[in-house]
Amino acid sequence: MRPPSPPSTPPREEPALYAFAEADDITYQLETLQRLLDPTTRMVLDSLDTPTGQEWLEIGYGLGSIARELSRRIGPSGAVHATDLSARSVSAPTGGAPIHTFPLDLRTDSLPPRPFLGIHGRLVLLHIPERREILTRLVDALEPGGVLVLEDWFCPTAPRVLNCADPTDAKIFTEVVEGVLAVLRNRGADLEWAASTHEAFAEAGLTGIRAVRTEPDCAGPGPAHRLYACNARQLRPQLQALGVADELLDRFQEIVVQPDLVTTGWRLISTVGTKPGKH
Ligand SMILES: C[S@@+](CC[C@H](N)C(=O)[O-])C[C@H]1O[C@@H](n2cnc3c(N)ncnc32)[C@H](O)[C@@H]1O
């Protein structure tokens, strides 16, 4: 007779881990992102009322260039609170607001209880499956009259190759970037989420919603192509597991630095909404 089987405990559901949480080259990746996207983010921040003296929250701050940008704009009488999975310190610029960094996992940790007059996050919610629930909590953390600014790439497919000397190389470029996107999807990223932010902001009760869409072409070994190269190196084992051949991964590193390579960019959608009420 077989012994009775032990009572089965349902497997605990682990939240999906950020695809680059354990990747090498993170500093280089984040520097490249900043070089690529900070000009657009500055332009979006320019369109807001001057936040002098306010308290802002920066989520998933990476290397902190936007926390520093906010600090500069807010000035010494306000404060910037900056969170990420692990908290590296970010120095405030001279004359800027103090920057308080602290570790926080948006999937599982509570946001700080203080109300903020502004919250900004770039390329964060796109990666996290619990994004809609997090959005509700971000809105709760805003003071009435406060603004939420979220920026994410709309990137369901590889950029189109507009110019490449060798058609085989163009195919390799597409195949490897599609592989990177598949790895991100397997980790819970929603590569079309950016297109739903307007509707998600409205559902969360925000008003005055507007979006800026930025989609520049990328040429030669510029930051966008360097970022793809970096991502393909960081995710090499996962790409191999998906069946992308080593020769393609090696050739990809050479293709992305070719001076004549031109591709369309991913569309960065920067969405701004205001919590109803006065501050
Ligand atoms: C693509 S990087 C963008 C960094 C920075 N916002 C920028 O645009 O330069 C995504 C950032 O989100 C952070 N992140 C990912 N999952 C997170 C989570 N569950 N909670 C908090 N931060 C998270 C990562 O650690 C990383 O710093």
Side-chain angles (χ1 to χ4, degrees), residues 18 30 33-34 58-62 84-85 104-107 122-124 127-128:
Y18 173 52
L30 292 171
L33 270 178
Q34 291 182 171
E58 169 71 7
I59 55 165
Y61 66 88
D84 207 310
L85 287 171
L104 182 137
D105 186 335
L106 287 163
R107 300 166 304 174
R122 187 176 70 192
L123 301 186
V124 182
H127 289 287
I128 311 179

Side-chain angles (χ1 to χ4, degrees), residues 35-180:
R35 206 164 312 133
L36 192 60
L37 300 179
D38 280 5
T40 303
T41 300
R42 278 196 215 103
M43 190 186 70
V44 172
L45 295 178
D46 284 345
S47 73
L48 305 176
D49 289 340
T50 314
T52 314
Q54 298 182 354
E55 288 203 33
W56 273 62
L57 175 67
E58 169 71 7
I59 55 165
Y61 66 88
L63 291 188
S65 62
I66 298 307
R68 284 173 60 81
E69 183 64 38
L70 287 167
S71 158
R72 233 185 315 273
R73 289 167 188 252
I74 287 169
S77 57
V80 176
H81 305 265
T83 75
D84 207 310
L85 287 171
S86 63
R88 59 186 99 208
S89 69
V90 177
S91 59
T94 312
I99 301 176
H100 308 292
T101 60
F102 56 100
L104 182 137
D105 186 335
L106 287 163
R107 300 166 304 174
T108 49
D109 297 335
S110 306
L111 291 166
R114 58 188 346 116
F116 298 100
L117 266 172
I119 300 178
H120 172 264
R122 187 176 70 192
L123 301 186
V124 182
L125 291 203
L126 135 89
H127 289 287
I128 311 179
E130 298 82 356
R131 59 191 70 76
R132 292 245 176 192
E133 185 266 324
I134 294 169
L135 174 58
T136 307
R137 287 193 280 126
L138 294 175
V139 174
D140 286 346
L142 277 178
E143 265 188 43
V147 289
L148 179 64
V149 184
L150 291 182
E151 305 184 275
D152 276 303
W153 262 325
F154 179 78
C155 51
T157 55
R160 238 164 5 100
V161 178
L162 301 174
N163 191 63
C164 182
D166 181 340
T168 309
D169 282 345
K171 277 200 187 130
I172 294 172
F173 175 89
T174 304
E175 183 172 339
V176 173
V177 180
E178 288 291 355
V180 168

Side-chain angles (χ1 to χ4, degrees), residues 10-25:
R12 218 173 67 118
E13 266 214 25
E14 289 294 336
L17 186 65
Y18 173 52
F20 297 102
E22 287 155 1
D24 295 336
D25 267 357

Side-chain angles (χ1 to χ4, degrees), residues 1-6:
M1 215 172 76
R2 283 167 61 193
S5 39

